[in-house]
């Protein structure tokens, strides 16, 4: 069965600084990979997704993520963080033929210092 | 475009009372539908998913049930709530490969 690890529970960055959130997955084949963001008390919003092709994917709000098969990673990056980016971020993995069921990581809480 | 509506947004229920959370999707047909639960400090746990009317798969044994009476309607229910049922419940739908979430429902069992 697939699994997702987000090793950082909390991350604090200063506004304007760069950001990288880590995500490692475990799956025998090429997975579908996703990043979602959740503001307090709200649902999850899709930031970006990777299915195949170019390993660097662009998402909304200036985020990007890079799929590295050799490292089983799908890290999320943003060159300059804004205070409004403070939220919880979830990495998720889906598998082909899995009925579109996703396995989520436990999330990384991002705090942005002004 | 597709939209997903989930209600009620907030619910406080006594232990032993029934529960009904409703979710509807617009702008698509025959979507896969899901109920997830998010407990404090934890990730998301898939509770139920459905690939069609009347077709429900349960991912974990629990005090809850789900039904899909119409193509774009998904209902989460309980006959008698437990304290441990408290949490944030998210309905979601998917097209071929991507899952989209509703705004969630906060359930507090007291």
């Amino acid at each position: 069965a697939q699994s997702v690890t987000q090793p950082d529970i909390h991350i604090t960055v200063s506004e304007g600084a760069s950001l990288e959130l880590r995500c490692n997955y475990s799956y025998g084949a090429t997975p579908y990979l996703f990043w979602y963001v959740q503001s307090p008390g709200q649902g999850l919003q899709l930031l970006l997704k990777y299915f195949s092709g170019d390993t660097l994917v662009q998402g909304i709000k200036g985020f990007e993520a890079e799929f590295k098969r050799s490292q089983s990673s799908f890290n999320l990056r943003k060159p300059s963080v804004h205070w409004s980016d403070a939220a919880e971020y979830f990495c998720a993995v889906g598998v082909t033929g899995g009925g579109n069921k996703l396995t989520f990581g436990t999330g990384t809480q991002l705090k942005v210092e002004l | 475009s597709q939209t997903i509506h989930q209600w009620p947004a907030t619910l406080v229920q006594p232990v032993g009372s029934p529960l009904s959370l409703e979710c509807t999707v617009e702008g698509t047909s025959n979507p896969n539908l899901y109920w997830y639960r998010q407990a404090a400090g934890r990730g998301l746990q898939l509770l139920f998913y459905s690939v069609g009317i009347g077709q429900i798969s349960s991912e974990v044994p629990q005090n809850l049930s789900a039904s899909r009476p119409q193509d774009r309607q998904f209902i989460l229910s309980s006959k008698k709530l437990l304290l441990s049922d408290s949490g944030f419940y998210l309905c979601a739908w998917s097209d071929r490969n991507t899952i989209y979430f509703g705004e969630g429902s906060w359930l507090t069992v007291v």
Side-chain angles (χ1 to χ4, degrees), chain A residues 47-106:
Chain A
L47 283 176
L48 47 78
K49 57 188 177 183
Y50 171 79
F51 293 160
S52 65
D54 193 347
T55 56
L56 183 64
V57 294
Q58 302 297 321
I60 62 172
K61 303 185 180 186
F63 286 92
E64 67 178 26
E66 186 171 12
F67 170 60
K68 293 186 177 180
R69 183 189 303 275
S70 62
Q71 298 178 21
S72 297
S73 68
F74 188 57
N75 294 348
L76 182 71
R77 300 194 294 250
K78 187 170 185 178
S80 178
V81 170
H82 189 263
W83 65 266
S84 60
D85 293 324
E88 189 156 23
Y89 292 79
F90 292 92
C91 181
V93 61
V95 300
T96 55
N100 288 355
K101 291 182 287 182
L102 296 185
T103 298
F104 284 84
T106 51

Side-chain angles (χ1 to χ4, degrees), chain B residues 42-61:
Chain B
R42 300 185 182 179
L44 282 81
Q45 181 185 38
L46 178 61
L47 301 177
F48 302 95
Y49 76 97
S50 171
V51 298
I53 295 174
Q55 301 178 63
I56 309 294
S57 295
S58 174
E59 292 295 296
V60 293

